[in-house]
Amino acid sequence: MLNVKINKNMGILTEVVDKVTKSETGYNVVSANGTGFSVPYAALKGKAVNKGDVFTLYCCCGSMIVGMDLNGEELCLEAGKDEQEQKAERAQQDLEAQAKFEERKANLDARFDALPKLLQHRLAMFRMFDNTFRRDEEDYESSSMLAGYGIFLACKNQQEIEAFGSDTLSYNERVNRVPALAAIETFNQMDFAVRFALELWQDAQTMDLENPQKGQLLSSCVMNLANAMSPLSGCRCTPRKECIAKYVLTL
């Protein structure tokens, strides 16, 4: 990857093509991991995308793809676009993101209010240190957290929680026990939900999830767990001890 500056906040994913279809502007790809993305014809310069091809995706701002390689060869996603067109596209993307946020803002607020206090603290901390989190990531984060909270409530011990992350239970069995799992869409969210449930189990041994004390937030497993989207976006929004300490001072 030559033209995109790699940094610690950028997620780098390796995806093997499982399904591929054509549209008017490019290929629509679904990877073996369930990740979906589009590849413009202009970037491929005559090349085709086939099952088994390997893409390296460079992501920032959550899951926004800013660069990609195909079988180790760099693709120019901005091929055929001038600087003014690129700026106009980015501005339009921001407008669309804001519009989508406004549409779901009431649902996000209702979801926040229904969470145990400890989980509210977690989201409030992310909001405090990332002014785009609420717009770009909170929907993904809160739905993943609710799935994890549902697993925690449905299980009597850690072994039962771990079963949700294995092949022991079918998809239907999982959703029947935890309806919130029907709202998550990716393997990454499912993996996070199980890890989150395990961290909740640990916290529940030492604190009241509905009324955690300030000092308990500093050592809370839930507060220290990286955000659900971090495997896709690098270290962005990953909690740090100093961030938690600064947040606690505002309470």
Coordinates of all heavy atoms in Angstrom, one line a residue, residues 21-88:
T21 N -20.3 -10.3 -7.3 CA -21.3 -10.0 -8.3 C -20.9 -8.6 -8.9 O -20.1 -7.9 -8.3 CB -22.7 -9.9 -7.7 OG1 -22.7 -8.9 -6.6 CG2 -23.2 -11.2 -7.1
K22 N -21.4 -8.4 -10.1 CA -21.1 -7.1 -10.8 C -22.3 -6.1 -10.7 O -23.5 -6.5 -10.7 CB -20.8 -7.4 -12.3 CG -19.6 -8.1 -12.5 CD -19.3 -8.3 -14.0 CE -18.0 -9.0 -14.3 NZ -17.8 -9.1 -15.8
S23 N -21.9 -4.8 -10.6 CA -22.9 -3.8 -10.7 C -22.5 -2.8 -11.8 O -21.6 -3.1 -12.5 CB -22.9 -3.0 -9.3 OG -21.7 -2.3 -9.1
E24 N -23.2 -1.7 -11.9 CA -22.9 -0.8 -13.0 C -21.5 -0.1 -12.8 O -20.8 0.2 -13.8 CB -23.9 0.3 -13.1 CG -25.3 -0.1 -13.6 CD -26.3 1.0 -13.7 OE1 -25.8 2.2 -13.5 OE2 -27.4 0.7 -14.1
T25 N -21.1 0.0 -11.5 CA -19.8 0.7 -11.3 C -18.7 -0.1 -10.8 O -17.5 0.3 -10.8 CB -20.1 1.8 -10.2 OG1 -20.6 1.2 -9.0 CG2 -21.1 2.8 -10.7
G26 N -18.9 -1.4 -10.4 CA -17.8 -2.2 -10.0 C -18.3 -3.6 -9.5 O -19.4 -4.0 -9.7
Y27 N -17.4 -4.2 -8.8 CA -17.7 -5.5 -8.2 C -18.2 -5.4 -6.7 O -17.6 -4.6 -6.0 CB -16.5 -6.4 -8.2 CG -16.0 -6.9 -9.5 CD1 -15.1 -6.2 -10.3 CD2 -16.5 -8.1 -10.1 CE1 -14.7 -6.6 -11.5 CE2 -16.1 -8.5 -11.3 CZ -15.2 -7.8 -12.0 OH -14.7 -8.2 -13.3
N28 N -19.2 -6.2 -6.4 CA -19.7 -6.3 -5.0 C -19.1 -7.6 -4.4 O -19.4 -8.6 -5.0 CB -21.2 -6.2 -4.9 CG -21.7 -4.9 -5.4 OD1 -21.2 -3.8 -5.1 ND2 -22.8 -4.9 -6.1
V29 N -18.4 -7.5 -3.4 CA -17.6 -8.6 -2.8 C -18.1 -9.0 -1.4 O -18.4 -8.1 -0.6 CB -16.1 -8.4 -2.8 CG1 -15.4 -9.5 -2.1 CG2 -15.6 -8.1 -4.2
V30 N -18.3 -10.3 -1.2 CA -18.5 -10.8 0.2 C -17.4 -11.7 0.5 O -17.1 -12.7 -0.3 CB -19.8 -11.5 0.3 CG1 -20.0 -12.0 1.8 CG2 -21.0 -10.5 0.0
S31 N -16.7 -11.5 1.6 CA -15.5 -12.4 1.9 C -15.9 -13.6 2.7 O -17.1 -13.7 3.1 CB -14.5 -11.6 2.7 OG -14.9 -11.4 4.1
A32 N -15.0 -14.5 2.9 CA -15.2 -15.7 3.7 C -15.6 -15.4 5.1 O -16.2 -16.2 5.8 CB -14.0 -16.6 3.6
N33 N -15.1 -14.2 5.6 CA -15.4 -13.7 7.0 C -16.8 -13.0 7.1 O -17.2 -12.6 8.1 CB -14.4 -12.8 7.4 CG -13.0 -13.5 7.7 OD1 -13.0 -14.6 8.1 ND2 -11.9 -12.8 7.4
G34 N -17.5 -12.9 5.9 CA -18.8 -12.2 5.9 C -18.7 -10.7 5.7 O -19.7 -10.0 5.8
T35 N -17.5 -10.2 5.4 CA -17.3 -8.7 5.2 C -17.7 -8.4 3.8 O -17.3 -9.1 2.8 CB -15.8 -8.3 5.4 OG1 -15.4 -8.7 6.7 CG2 -15.6 -6.8 5.2
G36 N -18.5 -7.4 3.6 CA -18.9 -6.9 2.3 C -18.3 -5.6 1.9 O -18.2 -4.7 2.7
F37 N -17.9 -5.4 0.7 CA -17.3 -4.2 0.2 C -17.4 -4.1 -1.3 O -17.7 -5.2 -2.0 CB -15.9 -4.0 0.7 CG -15.0 -5.1 0.3 CD1 -14.2 -5.1 -0.9 CD2 -14.8 -6.3 1.1 CE1 -13.3 -6.1 -1.2 CE2 -14.0 -7.3 0.8 CZ -13.2 -7.3 -0.4
S38 N -17.2 -3.0 -1.9 CA -17.3 -2.8 -3.3 C -15.9 -2.4 -3.9 O -15.1 -1.7 -3.2 CB -18.3 -1.7 -3.7 OG -19.6 -2.0 -3.3
V39 N -15.7 -2.8 -5.1 CA -14.4 -2.5 -5.8 C -14.7 -1.8 -7.1 O -15.3 -2.5 -8.0 CB -13.6 -3.7 -6.0 CG1 -12.2 -3.4 -6.6 CG2 -13.4 -4.6 -4.8
P40 N -14.4 -0.5 -7.3 CA -14.7 0.2 -8.6 C -14.0 -0.4 -9.8 O -12.8 -0.8 -9.6 CB -14.3 1.6 -8.3 CG -14.2 1.7 -6.8 CD -13.8 0.4 -6.3
Y41 N -14.6 -0.5 -10.9 CA -14.0 -1.0 -12.1 C -12.7 -0.1 -12.4 O -11.7 -0.6 -12.9 CB -14.9 -0.9 -13.3 CG -16.0 -1.9 -13.3 CD1 -17.4 -1.5 -13.5 CD2 -15.8 -3.2 -13.0 CE1 -18.4 -2.4 -13.5 CE2 -16.9 -4.1 -13.0 CZ -18.2 -3.7 -13.2 OH -19.2 -4.6 -13.2
A42 N -12.8 1.2 -12.2 CA -11.7 2.1 -12.5 C -10.5 1.8 -11.8 O -9.3 1.9 -12.3 CB -12.1 3.6 -12.3
A43 N -10.6 1.3 -10.5 CA -9.5 1.0 -9.7 C -8.8 -0.3 -10.2 O -7.6 -0.5 -10.0 CB -9.9 0.8 -8.2
L44 N -9.5 -1.2 -10.8 CA -9.0 -2.5 -11.3 C -8.3 -2.4 -12.6 O -7.4 -3.3 -12.9 CB -10.2 -3.5 -11.4 CG -10.8 -3.9 -10.1 CD1 -12.1 -4.6 -10.3 CD2 -9.9 -4.8 -9.3
K45 N -8.5 -1.4 -13.4 CA -7.9 -1.2 -14.7 C -7.9 -2.4 -15.5 O -6.9 -2.9 -16.0 CB -6.4 -0.7 -14.4 CG -6.3 0.6 -13.7 CD -4.9 1.1 -13.6 CE -4.8 2.4 -12.9 NZ -3.4 2.8 -12.7
G46 N -9.1 -3.0 -15.7 CA -9.3 -4.1 -16.6 C -9.2 -5.5 -15.9 O -9.5 -6.5 -16.5
K47 N -8.7 -5.5 -14.7 CA -8.6 -6.8 -13.9 C -10.0 -7.3 -13.5 O -10.9 -6.4 -13.3 CB -7.7 -6.7 -12.7 CG -6.2 -6.3 -13.0 CD -5.4 -6.3 -11.8 CE -4.0 -6.0 -12.0 NZ -3.8 -4.5 -12.4
A48 N -10.1 -8.5 -13.3 CA -11.4 -9.1 -12.8 C -11.2 -9.5 -11.3 O -10.1 -9.7 -10.9 CB -11.8 -10.3 -13.6
V49 N -12.3 -9.6 -10.6 CA -12.3 -10.1 -9.2 C -12.9 -11.5 -9.2 O -14.0 -11.7 -9.7 CB -13.0 -9.2 -8.3 CG1 -13.1 -9.8 -6.9 CG2 -12.4 -7.8 -8.2
N50 N -12.2 -12.5 -8.6 CA -12.7 -13.8 -8.7 C -12.7 -14.4 -7.3 O -12.0 -14.0 -6.4 CB -11.8 -14.7 -9.6 CG -11.7 -14.2 -11.0 OD1 -12.8 -14.2 -11.7 ND2 -10.6 -13.7 -11.4
K51 N -13.5 -15.5 -7.1 CA -13.5 -16.2 -5.8 C -12.1 -16.7 -5.5 O -11.4 -17.2 -6.4 CB -14.5 -17.4 -5.9 CG -14.6 -18.1 -4.5 CD -15.7 -19.2 -4.6 CE -15.8 -19.9 -3.3 NZ -16.9 -20.9 -3.3
G52 N -11.7 -16.5 -4.2 CA -10.3 -16.9 -3.8 C -9.3 -15.8 -3.9 O -8.2 -16.0 -3.3
D53 N -9.6 -14.7 -4.6 CA -8.7 -13.6 -4.5 C -8.6 -13.0 -3.1 O -9.5 -13.2 -2.3 CB -9.2 -12.4 -5.4 CG -9.0 -12.7 -6.9 OD1 -8.1 -13.6 -7.2 OD2 -9.6 -12.1 -7.8
V54 N -7.4 -12.5 -2.8 CA -7.1 -11.9 -1.5 C -7.0 -10.4 -1.5 O -6.2 -9.9 -2.2 CB -5.8 -12.5 -0.9 CG1 -5.6 -12.0 0.5 CG2 -5.9 -14.1 -0.8
F55 N -7.9 -9.8 -0.7 CA -7.9 -8.3 -0.6 C -7.3 -7.9 0.8 O -7.6 -8.6 1.8 CB -9.3 -7.7 -0.7 CG -9.8 -7.5 -2.1 CD1 -10.5 -8.5 -2.7 CD2 -9.6 -6.3 -2.8 CE1 -11.0 -8.4 -4.0 CE2 -10.0 -6.2 -4.1 CZ -10.7 -7.2 -4.7
T56 N -6.4 -6.9 0.8 CA -6.0 -6.2 2.0 C -6.8 -4.9 2.0 O -6.6 -4.1 1.1 CB -4.5 -6.0 2.0 OG1 -3.8 -7.3 1.9 CG2 -4.1 -5.4 3.4
L57 N -7.5 -4.7 3.1 CA -8.3 -3.5 3.2 C -7.7 -2.6 4.3 O -7.4 -3.0 5.4 CB -9.8 -3.8 3.6 CG -10.5 -4.8 2.7 CD1 -11.9 -5.0 3.2 CD2 -10.5 -4.3 1.2
Y58 N -7.6 -1.3 4.0 CA -7.1 -0.3 4.9 C -8.2 0.6 5.3 O -8.8 1.3 4.5 CB -6.0 0.5 4.2 CG -4.8 -0.3 3.8 CD1 -4.8 -1.0 2.5 CD2 -3.7 -0.5 4.6 CE1 -3.8 -1.8 2.1 CE2 -2.6 -1.3 4.1 CZ -2.7 -2.0 2.9 OH -1.6 -2.8 2.5
C59 N -8.6 0.6 6.6 CA -9.8 1.2 7.1 C -9.5 2.3 8.1 O -8.5 2.2 8.9 CB -10.8 0.2 7.7 SG -11.1 -1.2 6.6
C60 N -10.3 3.3 8.1 CA -10.2 4.3 9.2 C -11.6 4.8 9.5 O -12.6 4.4 8.8 CB -9.3 5.5 8.8 SG -10.0 6.5 7.5
C61 N -11.8 5.6 10.5 CA -13.1 6.1 10.9 C -14.1 5.0 11.0 O -15.2 5.1 10.4 CB -13.6 7.2 9.9 SG -12.5 8.6 9.8
G62 N -13.7 4.0 11.7 CA -14.6 2.8 11.8 C -14.3 1.8 10.7 O -13.3 1.2 10.7
S63 N -15.3 1.7 9.8 CA -15.1 0.7 8.7 C -15.0 1.4 7.3 O -15.2 0.7 6.3 CB -16.3 -0.3 8.7 OG -17.5 0.4 8.6
M64 N -14.6 2.7 7.3 CA -14.4 3.3 6.0 C -13.2 2.8 5.3 O -12.1 3.0 5.9 CB -14.4 4.9 6.2 CG -14.2 5.6 4.9 SD -14.1 7.4 5.1 CE -15.6 7.8 5.9
I65 N -13.3 2.3 4.1 CA -12.1 1.8 3.4 C -11.5 2.9 2.7 O -12.1 3.6 1.8 CB -12.6 0.7 2.4 CG1 -13.2 -0.5 3.2 CG2 -11.4 0.2 1.5 CD1 -13.8 -1.6 2.3
V66 N -10.2 3.1 3.0 CA -9.5 4.2 2.3 C -8.4 3.7 1.3 O -7.8 4.5 0.6 CB -8.8 5.2 3.4 CG1 -9.9 5.8 4.2 CG2 -7.9 4.4 4.3
G67 N -8.2 2.4 1.3 CA -7.2 1.9 0.4 C -7.4 0.3 0.4 O -7.9 -0.3 1.3
M68 N -6.9 -0.3 -0.7 CA -7.0 -1.7 -0.8 C -5.9 -2.3 -1.7 O -5.5 -1.6 -2.7 CB -8.4 -2.2 -1.2 CG -8.8 -1.8 -2.5 SD -10.5 -2.6 -3.0 CE -11.6 -1.9 -1.8
D69 N -5.5 -3.5 -1.5 CA -4.6 -4.2 -2.3 C -5.4 -5.5 -2.8 O -6.1 -6.0 -2.1 CB -3.3 -4.7 -1.6 CG -2.5 -3.5 -1.1 OD1 -2.7 -2.4 -1.5 OD2 -1.7 -3.8 -0.2
L70 N -5.1 -5.9 -4.0 CA -5.7 -7.1 -4.6 C -4.5 -8.1 -4.9 O -3.7 -7.8 -5.7 CB -6.5 -6.8 -5.9 CG -6.9 -8.0 -6.7 CD1 -7.8 -9.0 -5.8 CD2 -7.7 -7.6 -7.9
N71 N -4.5 -9.2 -4.2 CA -3.4 -10.2 -4.3 C -2.0 -9.5 -4.2 O -1.1 -9.8 -5.0 CB -3.6 -10.9 -5.7 CG -4.9 -11.7 -5.8 OD1 -5.3 -12.2 -4.8 ND2 -5.5 -11.7 -6.9
G72 N -1.9 -8.6 -3.3 CA -0.6 -7.9 -3.0 C -0.3 -6.7 -3.9 O 0.7 -6.1 -3.7
E73 N -1.2 -6.4 -4.8 CA -1.0 -5.3 -5.7 C -1.9 -4.1 -5.4 O -3.2 -4.3 -5.2 CB -1.2 -5.7 -7.2 CG -0.9 -4.6 -8.2 CD -1.1 -5.1 -9.6 OE1 -1.1 -6.3 -9.9 OE2 -1.2 -4.2 -10.5
E74 N -1.4 -2.9 -5.2 CA -2.1 -1.8 -4.8 C -3.2 -1.4 -5.9 O -2.9 -1.4 -7.1 CB -1.2 -0.6 -4.6 CG -1.9 0.7 -4.2 CD -1.0 1.9 -4.1 OE1 0.2 1.7 -4.6 OE2 -1.4 2.9 -3.6
L75 N -4.4 -1.0 -5.4 CA -5.4 -0.5 -6.3 C -5.6 1.0 -5.9 O -5.6 1.4 -4.7 CB -6.7 -1.2 -6.1 CG -6.7 -2.7 -6.3 CD1 -8.2 -3.3 -6.1 CD2 -6.3 -3.0 -7.7
C76 N -5.8 1.8 -6.9 CA -6.0 3.2 -6.7 C -7.5 3.5 -6.7 O -8.2 3.5 -7.8 CB -5.3 4.1 -7.8 SG -5.5 5.8 -7.6
L77 N -8.1 3.7 -5.5 CA -9.5 3.9 -5.4 C -10.0 5.3 -5.9 O -11.1 5.5 -6.2 CB -10.0 3.8 -3.9 CG -9.7 2.4 -3.3 CD1 -10.3 2.4 -1.9 CD2 -10.3 1.3 -4.1
E78 N -9.0 6.2 -6.1 CA -9.4 7.5 -6.6 C -9.1 7.6 -8.1 O -9.1 8.7 -8.6 CB -8.6 8.6 -5.8 CG -8.7 8.5 -4.3 CD -10.2 8.8 -3.9 OE1 -10.9 9.4 -4.7 OE2 -10.6 8.4 -2.8
A79 N -8.9 6.5 -8.7 CA -8.6 6.6 -10.2 C -9.7 7.3 -10.9 O -10.9 7.0 -10.7 CB -8.4 5.2 -10.7
G80 N -9.4 8.2 -11.8 CA -10.3 8.9 -12.6 C -11.0 10.1 -11.9 O -11.9 10.7 -12.5
K81 N -10.6 10.4 -10.6 CA -11.3 11.5 -9.9 C -10.3 12.6 -9.7 O -9.1 12.3 -9.3 CB -11.8 11.0 -8.5 CG -12.8 9.8 -8.6 CD -13.2 9.4 -7.2 CE -14.1 8.2 -7.3 NZ -14.5 7.7 -5.9
D82 N -10.7 13.8 -9.9 CA -9.8 14.9 -9.5 C -10.0 15.3 -8.1 O -10.9 14.8 -7.4 CB -10.1 16.1 -10.5 CG -11.5 16.6 -10.4 OD1 -12.2 16.5 -9.4 OD2 -12.0 17.2 -11.4
E83 N -9.2 16.2 -7.6 CA -9.2 16.6 -6.2 C -10.6 17.2 -5.8 O -11.1 16.9 -4.7 CB -8.1 17.6 -5.9 CG -8.0 18.0 -4.4 CD -6.8 18.9 -4.1 OE1 -6.0 19.1 -5.1 OE2 -6.7 19.4 -3.0
Q84 N -11.1 18.0 -6.6 CA -12.4 18.6 -6.3 C -13.5 17.6 -6.2 O -14.4 17.7 -5.3 CB -12.8 19.7 -7.4 CG -14.0 20.5 -7.1 CD -14.3 21.6 -8.1 OE1 -13.6 21.7 -9.1 NE2 -15.3 22.4 -7.9
E85 N -13.5 16.6 -7.1 CA -14.5 15.5 -7.0 C -14.3 14.7 -5.7 O -15.3 14.3 -5.1 CB -14.4 14.6 -8.2 CG -15.4 13.5 -8.3 CD -15.3 12.7 -9.5 OE1 -14.3 12.9 -10.3 OE2 -16.1 11.8 -9.7
Q86 N -13.1 14.5 -5.3 CA -12.8 13.7 -4.1 C -13.4 14.5 -2.9 O -14.0 13.9 -2.0 CB -11.3 13.5 -4.0 CG -10.8 12.5 -5.0 CD -9.3 12.4 -4.9 OE1 -8.7 12.5 -3.8 NE2 -8.6 12.3 -6.0
K87 N -13.1 15.8 -2.8 CA -13.6 16.6 -1.7 C -15.1 16.6 -1.7 O -15.7 16.5 -0.6 CB -13.1 18.0 -1.8 CG -11.6 18.2 -1.5 CD -11.2 19.6 -1.6 CE -9.7 19.8 -1.3 NZ -9.2 21.2 -1.4
A88 N -15.7 16.7 -2.8 CA -17.2 16.7 -2.9 C -17.8 15.4 -2.4 O -18.8 15.3 -1.7 CB -17.7 17.0 -4.3

